[in-house]
Amino acid sequence: ALGAEIEVYCEERAIVVSYLKDIGGLVLERDGSLDDYNGFEIITKPYGREEWGHMVESIFNTLQEHEAVGYNEPAGSNYGIHLTVHRRFLSPLSEARIAMFLVDEVNQNFVRAIAQRAQIYNAQYGVGMGAVVNPNLRSVSDGLTKTYTDYDIAKSGKIYGKGKYCPVNFKENLAEFRIFQSTTNPVSFVKNLEFVWALIKWTNASTGCSHDHRDFLLWLNTPQQRSEFPVLSTFLSKRVFYGTNFTPIISSWQALMRKPLQTEAVEPMAA
């Protein structure tokens, strides 16, 4: 089950908020990082895949009908989407691999393409690694808690994030994925959900300690995983990835995709 925070911009904020209230189960609030008059944040409960199937349609149809935007919002390029999962679904090794996956330079363009934004938070802020210059699985698993003075946290032996300036912020009970550019395109949003679900499943279920996107893709391109994560598989089969705030990324991994579903770029999965 994943919870979401979706930051959007809308000229008719009061009207779209009134419609979103009718959906139920949503918290709608202002945020200091958003436009004072047109920006707001949609906060959801944790939903499973079937529930998200219904919620995506309700939320994003409402946003699009009222011309709300995220990716191309006019107030700037910092509107984001955060996805949160309870840490009981993650093993300690899974958390370390996820943390490394999102900050490893080898995965930089791959993660940017999926996140659809240029700014992926740096390892220096990243996963509670403090002053570690070249993080690796050993430094993540052995050294993270030493960057905190709270004895109870250190005693728990759990990874802890360093706040909002990290790709995934490990809180006491929650892991918050913060990499995604905001969007009101439902296909793009589902791609984000599927990526988090797939990354969790791969790091929990696969053997070894790899945090390389090429190994992730070898796993993703098995028939079972392609069937389970069809939107993500289709998205990653593109040749070129566009965004409003970065130079187009030419796929270096398309050859790894089994029976590519698309060989040419399509329109950006934007607002």
Side-chain angles (χ1 to χ4, degrees):
L2 296 180
E5 299 176 12
I6 308 166
E7 298 174 341
V8 295
Y9 178 101
C10 185
E11 294 288 348
E12 301 178 337
R13 182 173 68 181
I15 296 175
V16 72
V17 164
S18 68
Y19 279 100
L20 289 170
K21 284 181 178 179
D22 293 336
I23 296 174
L26 304 177
V27 174
L28 307 166
E29 64 178 33
R30 297 174 62 182
D31 186 286
S33 64
L34 308 179
D35 182 86
D36 287 340
Y37 299 100
N38 302 102
F40 67 99
E41 185 175 49
I42 304 166
I43 304 173
T44 78
K45 298 177 181 179
Y47 294 119
R49 297 196 68 154
E50 184 175 349
E51 294 172 303
W52 265 121
H54 301 298
M55 292 302 295
V56 166
E57 182 177 0
S58 299
I59 293 173
F60 286 85
N61 282 352
T62 302
L63 292 175
Q64 291 188 332
E65 286 174 8
H66 295 277
E67 299 182 347
V69 293
Y71 193 92
N72 293 326
E73 54 82 23
S77 59
N78 295 323
Y79 284 39
I81 288 174
H82 308 152
L83 299 178
T84 301
V85 64
H86 199 285
R87 294 181 69 176
R88 67 174 175 266
F89 298 114
L90 303 171
S91 70
L93 178 59
S94 174
E95 292 180 340
R97 292 174 68 189
I98 287 171
M100 288 301 304
F101 190 99
L102 296 177
V103 299
D104 196 318
E105 291 185 5
V106 172
N107 302 332
Q108 183 179 54
N109 278 346
F110 182 80
V111 175
R112 281 178 171 166
I114 291 174
Q116 297 185 273
R117 74 192 308 174
Q119 179 56 49
I120 301 300
Y121 298 116
N122 296 324
Q124 62 178 314
Y125 299 114
V127 290
M129 286 179 283
V132 176
V133 177
N134 295 308
N136 54 52
L137 280 174
R138 180 172 296 278
S139 69
V140 169
S141 60
D142 293 345
L144 283 183
T145 57
K146 297 177 183 178
T147 64
Y148 285 81
T149 58
D150 190 311
Y151 175 75
D152 291 332
I153 291 178
K155 187 177 178 181
S156 72
K158 294 171 68 176
I159 293 175
Y160 274 77
K162 295 183 67 178
K164 65 182 181 178
Y165 297 112
C166 40
V168 56
N169 186 23
F170 291 104
K171 304 178 182 179
E172 182 175 359
N173 294 313
L174 302 174
E176 182 185 42
F177 292 77
R178 301 179 56 89
I179 64 173
F180 304 105
Q181 180 74 51
S182 184
T183 180
T184 56
N185 182 322
V187 178
S188 192
F189 181 76
V190 171
K191 172 263 297 175
N192 296 344
L193 293 175
E194 288 192 2
F195 173 66
V196 173
W197 277 320
L199 192 59
I200 291 171
K201 183 177 181 181
W202 176 60
T203 54
N204 271 333
S206 64
T207 58
C209 297
S210 173
H211 47 82
D212 190 305
H213 71 281
R214 291 163 292 195
D215 291 329
F216 171 72
L217 287 177
L218 291 175
W219 171 86
L220 180 66
N221 279 282
T222 59
Q224 178 182 347
Q225 310 312 330
R226 285 174 65 87
S227 175
E228 185 172 349
F229 307 108
V231 177
L232 177 64
S233 298
T234 299
F235 178 81
L236 290 174
S237 296
K238 298 199 302 180
R239 183 176 62 86
V240 184
F241 298 86
Y242 295 103
T244 58
N245 59 353
F246 61 75
T247 304
I249 294 173
I250 307 298
S251 174
S252 62
W253 57 85
Q254 191 182 47
L256 298 176
M257 302 301 295
R258 181 172 177 170
K259 297 180 180 178
L261 303 175
Q262 294 172 301
T263 56
E264 298 295 330
V266 295
E267 67 279 0
M269 289 189 177

